[in-house]
Amino acid sequence: AQTVTQSQPEMSVQEAETVTLSCTYDTSESDYYLFWYKQPPSRQMILVIRQEAYKQQNATENRFSVNFQKAAKSFSLKISDSQLGDAAMYFCAYRSMNSGNTPLVFGKGTRLSVIA
Amino acid sequence: DAMVIQNPRYQVTQFGKPVTLSCSQTLNHNVMYWYQQKSSQAPKLLFHYYDKDFNNEADTPDNFQSRRPNTSFCFLDIRSPGLGDAAMYLCATRKGTGANVLTFGAGSRLTVL
């Protein structure tokens, strides 16, 4: 079974600075998807960024980018120019590409605080 | 706007009193999920529907049931809530062909007294 590990329960960053959230995963599969989801306090979970394992190029969405190291099974999220609205719980998640019906496997999350 | 709507947002029930949480979607997604999320923990999958096919996770207690009368609606029934069932319940949907991104509702927070 696949597992996702987020080793940082809490992180903080100064406004306008850059922060990196760590995520590692364990799988024997070669084809899969990786995601970062953001869950603000009392608000719904939304997708931040996703990466297909077969793509070598790291995904980027505006201020959010990932460092995907397939051999190391690492998938970190970098947030540049941090804003107060970035404060949230961030979940790393894995999904197999081999079956159409497999669910997401979530890590335990990292709570990010942004300091003004 | 197409979205996933959960009702109620906040539910208070008494120990052992049945409760039903609802989820509706306008996305026409054929996969619907129910997750349980306790404070500061990762969401835990309870079960999901792929169209009408129901898939129960092996460790989901019998106390939790689900119904999906049509594509748009899915219900979570907790037959006899215990104190340990207090949590946020998240509904999510996904288009079953190709797309792999889940769209989440805002959640229903259950309190058990």
Side-chain angles (χ1 to χ4, degrees):
Chain A
Q2 295 82 20
T3 58
V4 177
T5 302
Q6 293 178 250
S7 59
Q8 306 151 317
E10 295 183 357
M11 292 281 285
S12 62
V13 62
Q14 204 79 27
E15 197 175 7
E17 296 295 312
T18 295
V19 64
T20 298
L21 307 184
S22 301
C23 173
T24 59
Y25 57 95
D26 187 24
T27 184
S28 59
E29 299 176 329
S30 58
D31 297 321
Y32 48 87
Y33 300 94
L34 295 165
F35 306 86
W36 278 99
Y37 279 88
K38 170 185 177 181
Q39 188 177 38
S42 302
R43 296 180 62 186
Q44 70 191 94
M45 195 174 308
I46 57 173
L47 179 71
V48 175
I49 199 166
R50 68 172 169 173
Q51 175 86 38
E52 290 87 350
Y54 61 82
K55 291 186 178 178
Q56 292 187 337
Q57 187 172 6
N58 289 325
T60 299
E61 288 288 341
N62 300 315
R63 298 183 295 108
F64 298 88
S65 61
V66 298
N67 184 4
F68 173 47
Q69 302 289 329
K70 191 172 184 179
K73 296 179 183 174
S74 171
F75 184 62
S76 61
L77 174 69
K78 185 171 83 171
I79 306 174
S80 304
D81 185 25
S82 297
Q83 301 174 1
L84 295 177
D86 295 334
M89 197 77 169
Y90 286 82
F91 291 97
C92 180
Y94 170 104
R95 184 169 183 272
S96 172
M97 198 183 290
N98 293 332
S99 170
N101 209 15
T102 53
L104 279 180
V105 177
F106 285 95
K108 290 188 175 182
T110 297
R111 185 176 302 281
L112 178 67
S113 301
V114 181
I115 304 164
Chain B
D1 289 342
M3 55 179 56
V4 179
I5 300 171
Q6 292 188 241
N7 283 300
R9 291 290 312 276
Y10 301 92
Q11 175 73 59
V12 180
T13 190
Q14 291 181 331
F15 184 95
K17 186 174 181 181
V19 67
T20 295
L21 307 177
S22 75
C23 177
S24 65
Q25 53 126 340
T26 59
L27 298 158
N28 204 32
H29 285 176
N30 51 334
V31 190
M32 293 187 77
Y33 302 86
W34 278 107
Y35 285 88
Q36 179 193 63
Q37 186 181 24
K38 297 190 176 180
S39 182
S40 299
Q41 294 185 22
K44 176 183 179 297
L45 183 64
L46 295 174
F47 25 58
H48 71 280
Y49 280 91
Y50 195 112
D51 294 321
K52 293 184 178 181
D53 293 334
F54 177 69
N55 298 271
N56 197 33
E57 293 301 297
D59 57 353
T60 299
D62 292 341
N63 196 27
F64 292 87
Q65 303 286 318
S66 185
R67 298 169 282 135
R68 189 179 185 186
N70 53 54
T71 300
S72 301
F73 284 89
C74 194
F75 298 95
L76 170 61
D77 300 309
I78 308 176
R79 294 191 296 187
S80 181
L83 297 179
D85 297 328
M88 177 73 86
Y89 290 88
L90 302 175
C91 176
T93 71
R94 179 176 67 85
K95 186 176 178 182
T97 53
N100 283 277
V101 175
L102 268 63
T103 301
F104 284 85
S108 293
R109 182 169 296 283
L110 177 67
T111 300
V112 182
L113 301 177

